Amino acid sequence: MNIIWNKISGQFHLYNERISYIIGVAPGGELTNLYYGKRIHDRDDFSYVLFRMGMPNVVVDADTESYSMELNRQEYPSFGTTDFGTQAYEIETVNGSRISSFAYKSHKIYSGKGSLNGLPALYADDSEAMTLEIVLEDEIAKVSVTLFYTIFDRFPVIARHTRFTNCGDSKVRLIKALSCCLDLPDQDYEMVQFTGAWARERMPQTRRLCNGITSVESKRGVSSANFNPFIIIKRPNTDDFAGEAIGFSLVYSGNFIATAEGGTHGRMRILMGINPDRFTWILNGEETFETPEAVMAITDKGLNDLSQTYHRLYNNNLVRGKWKNQPRPILNNNWEATFMDFTEEKILRIAKKAKEAGIELFVLDDGWFGERNDDFAGLGDWIENPKKLPQGMAGLASKITAMGMKFGFWIEPEMVNPNSNLYRRHPDWVLVAPGRKASLGRHQLVLDFSREEVVDHIYNMLHKVIYGAPISYIKWDMNRSLTEVFSNELTSEEQGMVYHKYVMGVYDLYSRLTEAFPDILFESCSSGGNRFDAGMLYWAPQAWCSDNTDAIDRIRIQYGSSYGYPIASIGSHVSAVPNQQTGRSTSIATRANVAYFGTFGYELDLNELSEKEFEEVKEQIRFMKKYRELIQFGDFYRLRSPFETDQAAWMAVSEDKKRAVVGFYCLRANVNTLPGFLKLRGLNENTLYKMEDGEFYGDELMNMGITLSRFYKKGFTISEDFSSFVTVLEAKE
Ligand code: DGJ
């Protein structure tokens, strides 16, 4: 890995073993992208790739009269110039002008990577990454822009963000401030987006790109289940196993936009960052604004390779603290077993059985506080309900830990019910526009987390519950989108800051809680996967992936999530049947076979199972304890897509390629068809692997494949809906 600056041409070449990223300074002083792709040799000057030609209806730079930004690739394009594409930022000065052009001023190159102010971001030590900071200035607007580029040694990854500084005395308004722009030289691309809704999150959808705009965004205040802040730009023939693709992942949990814009001269522009809709940031003299980080990863080896890059990168350079690269505890959560209808006695009964099964962590979900006996009351009153927890959280936690399990509980700190003491005391603490009614979502209102005193108050209440009690885990939920986004504390011109300040308030609370309780494992949640993003992973290494716990639906949800997020981050549990969301019944084996490929746990009362099923559960827990490290942190391969076939398959391979776990699922039986073969991936061709019914070479398994009928004796059959198998491969010494 290195970053070369060529003094004469003024060009920067960032490279590692796999990639090159080359930036030049154009005649007007703005930055131009010269190349992004597979590693190439360095040379003194790459400006031969620039187009300097007169073209009809193209406006050119006044000094050279030959150079147009429209025909060349921009690094961070602005409004009002010879580039007519979508701009990466927009600033308005006091005279009402939104025209700006930033010219190169200086740069810095250093080892390692800095942190971002209050924002989650990748981190790296001096041996892992190098960073280039380029300072650009607009002397008229008196604003400077610093573009940050970090290249990683081990990964084909460039992380980018931008810092704006008001260098003058007059106020400027930042109307738009995206995290990155990448111009590609042709348009032969598709965009894969991860779309959905509650209970059907992150379904991949592919659109052909062409002239004009293709975009996904969130305006809900959270990253959302509707569109995820992760997209893939790929060649039409790229699939999981081969081909070129570039991933864009935003380390942010609020409103975002990701846009692909085909220009009329063949350029394809990709932009990503905070959604400019309803965003304005006021910058007074000397003030700065930092955008969230966008992480670009590139491959010419297909989407499994791209996903593996994100998995390794996020496991090693985003997730922090005690739980970094740590196998996740197998948990039992009481939500689907009791909902809010529980007593301590009932919880202890469930916990006792959980312990007997081998569960390591017991989680008490919603309903333990205030008057919280249904959805209508209690949020905001983070004090134990003595009828349910007579000795408080500490009392229950001690009883569970005395059984030999860890203990954790549920919170939803950003919310308040109108029927709560907190709301009665502070009705002005919610987001609501003056004179208007605040809309309700699940009978609750959103606290104004842009206000420090609100965050302080919630922190103090939660601190009291956690402090002194043996708490190992917290599930942080967030169950509605933001509406009537107006803060009582900000001035009229500052209202465009509320969405982002809200997110910063959430990050602030996360930061304080994770600092005060560094050993606690946080799991983020937002009605399932409504805020499943890289920003959250910085604070909470795992996320409840969906409220839909039906094994068959979960295959698709987990498959889709795996494109951008590590398996160790995907919260997945076995729940009761018929499933509460779909009414579907699947065997306990299939439910576990799906849930293994995630954090793994149970969302039911194990007392309700038959003796036979309970014995199976014990075996499942033993299996997961043995293989979870490999499944959660090994190289994950999607093998057969449930979006394209009636079957699904995936596998995880250990780094040394000596062990692998394969999962295969029949979503829908097809009558009178042959079982066929499943080709495995990522093995060592010359290694002999032991499977439950024989020994096979890696090349056989990858090229010929495994015969699926071999697993019929385990109860799996492709002529039966929802049957599945999981099998293990171990290299022979
Ligand atoms: C939504 C979550 O996704 C569920 O798992 C559960 O925690 C409920 N909220 C509790 O209200």
Side-chain angles (χ1 to χ4, degrees):
M1 150 195 73
N2 202 359
I3 300 177
I4 297 176
W5 178 54
N6 190 301
K7 241 188 191 152
I8 317 260
S9 63
Q11 293 169 5
F12 302 92
H13 186 168
L14 298 81
Y15 67 83
N16 63 22
E17 272 180 18
R18 283 187 66 179
I19 61 168
S20 282
Y21 191 98
I22 305 172
I23 305 165
V25 181
E30 76 278 3
L31 296 185
T32 173
N33 185 282
L34 298 169
Y35 175 75
Y36 176 38
K38 224 173 159 165
R39 164 85 184 270
I40 57 172
H41 284 96
D42 191 43
R43 64 186 297 134
D44 294 342
D45 190 354
F46 287 97
S47 48
Y48 67 90
V49 305
L50 294 175
F51 293 106
R52 293 164 185 272
M53 54 213 318
M55 300 257 290
N57 213 13
V58 161
V59 189
V60 291
D61 161 76
D63 294 328
T64 60
E65 289 201 38
S66 65
Y67 181 83
S68 173
M69 289 166 81
E70 188 180 5
L71 302 182
N72 290 288
R73 282 173 272 152
Q74 305 304 311
E75 274 300 315
Y76 205 63
S78 53
F79 167 73
T81 64
T82 63
D83 181 283
F84 294 92
T86 302
Q87 65 274 19
Y89 72 94
E90 212 175 314
I91 49 179
E92 188 181 271
T93 47
V94 274
N95 62 8
S97 164
R98 290 193 179 183
I99 298 154
S100 60
S101 64
F102 281 91
Y104 169 83
K105 205 73 197 163
S106 63
H107 73 267
K108 264 199 263 180
I109 293 172
Y110 50 86
S111 298
K113 180 179 188 300
S115 53
L116 274 69
N117 209 353
L119 282 161
L122 297 175
Y123 59 90
D125 66 28
D126 288 2
S127 67
E128 290 176 301
M130 283 184 80
T131 299
L132 164 66
E133 285 182 22
I134 309 179
V135 181
L136 307 163
E137 234 172 63
D138 182 329
E139 286 177 0
I140 312 277
K142 298 207 169 39
V143 176
S144 80
V145 160
T146 308
L147 299 180
F148 292 79
Y149 298 84
T150 297
I151 182 157
F152 283 77
D153 187 38
R154 281 175 57 207
F155 307 116
V157 164
I158 307 250
R160 295 178 57 178
H161 76 281
T162 305
R163 183 194 294 149
F164 291 84
T165 307
N166 182 352
C167 311
D169 317 318
S170 321
K171 184 189 301 184
V172 296
R173 285 182 351 120
L174 209 48
I175 308 286
K176 179 181 196 181
L178 298 185
S179 300
C180 75
C181 168
L182 178 72
D183 280 354
L184 296 163
D186 69 85
Q187 293 188 354
D188 190 21
Y189 286 106
E190 291 177 341
M191 174 167 131
V192 187
Q193 63 195 44
F194 297 88
T195 300
W198 176 79
R200 50 182 170 85
E201 296 91 340
R202 289 172 296 288
M203 305 281 122
Q205 275 183 346
T206 304
R207 287 194 264 175
R208 185 76 168 93
L209 298 181
C210 58
N211 276 346
I213 288 181
T214 307
S215 204
V216 290
E217 64 174 0
S218 166
K219 293 186 204 165
R220 294 170 178 266
V222 286
S223 47
S224 92
N226 309 71
F227 296 103
N228 193 267
F230 171 62
I231 59 162
I232 299 171
I233 302 297
K234 69 174 194 70
R235 296 294 185 189
N237 60 0
T238 298
D239 60 16
D240 272 332
F241 310 109
E244 290 178 13
I246 308 173
F248 294 80
S249 173
L250 193 66
V251 189
Y252 191 61
S253 312
N255 289 350
F256 76 94
I257 191 159
T259 299
E261 181 185 52
T264 44
H265 294 103
R267 185 176 71 184
M268 181 55 69
R269 170 166 294 172
I270 317 296
L271 298 144
M272 186 177 236
I274 293 180
N275 197 333
D277 199 359
R278 311 303 132 201
F279 169 86
T280 333
W281 202 263
I282 308 292
L283 274 185
N284 292 305
E286 305 296 311
E287 283 181 355
T288 61
F289 178 82
E290 221 159 17
T291 71
E293 186 163 75
V295 181
M296 304 185 331
I298 192 164
T299 184
D300 61 346
K301 300 189 177 81
L303 301 184
N304 274 323
D305 181 64
L306 189 78
S307 301
Q308 286 168 11
T309 295
Y310 279 108
H311 295 179
R312 292 184 197 119
L313 179 75
Y314 285 173
N315 283 333
N316 287 290
N317 296 86
L318 182 63
V319 170
R320 303 162 308 146
K322 181 176 166 187
W323 289 97
K324 173 173 172 170
N325 286 326
Q326 283 310 303
R328 306 294 190 237
I330 298 172
L331 66 80
N332 188 179
N333 177 308
N334 73 305
W335 179 243
E336 291 196 16
T338 66
F339 295 105
M340 295 181 210
D341 180 19
F342 61 82
T343 56
E344 188 181 83
E345 204 190 331
K346 199 167 179 184
I347 293 296
L348 289 172
R349 196 172 161 264
I350 301 174
K352 192 165 168 256
K353 195 72 177 173
K355 174 65 194 161
E356 200 188 319
I359 293 283
E360 298 162 309
L361 166 69
F362 190 84
V363 177
L364 179 66
D365 212 282
D366 194 355
W368 56 265
F369 50 90
E371 292 298 313
R372 184 76 167 166
N373 298 311
D374 54 36
D375 289 358
F376 291 85
L379 287 173
D381 298 339
W382 300 108
I383 300 168
E384 297 94 325
N385 175 346
K387 284 190 210 125
K388 291 181 179 172
L389 302 181
Q391 279 110 39
M393 193 63 82
L396 176 63
S398 307
K399 286 177 194 158
I400 301 245
T401 45
M403 288 180 181
M405 280 184 296
K406 303 268 185 215
F407 176 76
F409 66 95
W410 177 98
I411 56 173
E412 193 178 0
E414 298 150 73
M415 298 293 154
V416 66
N417 284 114
N419 184 5
S420 67
N421 291 333
L422 182 68
Y423 184 73
R424 281 184 282 272
R425 239 176 279 133
H426 298 287
D428 61 320
W429 276 12
V430 300
L431 293 174
V432 62
R436 296 184 190 277
K437 267 199 184 156
S439 309
L440 290 164
R442 203 194 183 192
H443 319 289
Q444 62 199 51
L445 302 170
V446 184
L447 285 172
D448 182 357
F449 260 45
S450 74
R451 289 170 72 160
E452 223 176 293
E453 61 184 317
V454 176
V455 177
D456 281 349
H457 178 85
I458 299 295
Y459 173 75
N460 290 334
M461 288 196 98
L462 292 174
H463 192 277
K464 266 193 208 129
V465 185
I466 305 167
Y467 190 76
I471 305 300
S472 304
Y473 162 103
I474 285 185
K475 176 177 173 188
W476 176 325
D477 206 345
M478 196 289 189
N479 284 309
R480 60 158 289 182
S481 304
L482 275 53
T483 54
E484 293 87 26
V485 177
F486 183 96
S487 171
N488 277 308
E489 214 181 44
L490 297 177
T491 63
S492 58
E493 68 169 6
E494 289 170 333
Q495 293 303 324
M497 301 165 85
V498 185
Y499 275 113
H500 182 59
K501 274 180 173 275
Y502 176 91
V503 178
M504 295 307 276
V506 172
Y507 289 158
D508 181 35
L509 185 59
Y510 256 118
S511 154
R512 290 201 234 171
L513 287 173
T514 49
E515 254 166 53
F517 306 105
D519 291 345
I520 289 184
L521 170 63
F522 280 80
E523 175 155 347
S524 77
C525 173
S526 181
S527 301
N530 202 40
R531 196 162 62 179
F532 197 114
D533 55 60
M536 278 294 134
L537 288 187
Y538 181 79
W539 312 106
Q542 59 190 57
W544 184 227
C545 177
S546 177
D547 274 350
N548 187 342
T549 54
D550 171 73
I552 301 309
D553 281 3
R554 267 305 188 108
I555 294 170
R556 290 204 179 91
I557 296 168
Q558 292 173 212
Y559 205 92
S561 304
S562 77
Y563 280 90
Y565 301 99
I567 303 309
S569 72
I570 298 177
S572 51
H573 300 164
V574 172
S575 64
V577 289
N579 181 269
Q580 308 211 355
Q581 290 79 24
T582 63
R584 192 180 281 139
S585 287
T586 52
S587 68
I588 193 118
T590 286
R591 280 174 273 158
N593 286 346
V594 177
Y596 289 143
F597 289 81
T599 59
F600 198 64
Y602 293 81
E603 189 96 4
L604 46 76
D605 180 352
L606 294 170
N607 291 297
E608 305 283 313
L609 299 184
S610 68
E611 226 166 273
K612 187 174 165 279
E613 280 177 327
F614 187 66
E615 286 311 309
E616 250 183 282
V617 165
K618 284 194 199 157
E619 188 45 45
Q620 291 169 352
I621 293 172
R622 270 195 292 273
F623 173 86
M624 191 55 179
K625 285 180 181 166
K626 189 165 176 199
Y627 292 105
R628 66 181 147 186
E629 190 159 358
L630 158 58
I631 295 175
Q632 292 169 352
F633 299 99
D635 291 338
F636 180 79
Y637 291 86
R638 289 174 297 272
L639 300 175
R640 188 163 295 179
S641 171
F643 299 100
E644 288 160 19
T645 67
D646 291 332
Q647 299 169 342
W650 50 37
M651 70 187 286
V653 186
S654 65
E655 208 182 336
D656 62 8
K657 297 181 186 292
K658 289 196 168 151
R659 299 201 309 168
V661 178
V662 180
F664 189 95
Y665 313 88
C666 173
L667 281 74
R668 194 172 164 278
N670 281 314
V671 179
N672 195 19
T673 51
L674 282 173
F677 298 84
L678 176 70
K679 289 184 182 179
L680 304 186
R681 295 274 165 170
L683 303 173
N684 207 333
E685 288 180 354
N686 300 317
T687 298
L688 191 60
Y689 291 91
K690 196 169 163 357
M691 295 181 69
E692 47 207 278
D693 62 342
E695 291 172 1
F696 307 88
Y697 278 103
D699 55 6
E700 271 177 276
L701 295 166
M702 292 193 291
N703 297 306
M704 190 187 285
I706 53 178
T707 45
L708 294 170
S709 51
R710 274 169 33 204
F711 296 90
Y712 280 10
K713 61 182 174 306
K714 277 185 77 183
F716 159 79
T717 147
I718 57 154
S719 56
E720 191 190 322
D721 287 353
F722 322 141
S723 70
S724 66
F725 68 85
V726 160
T727 191
V728 172
L729 285 77
E730 307 263 2
K732 287 261 297 181
E733 289 310 322

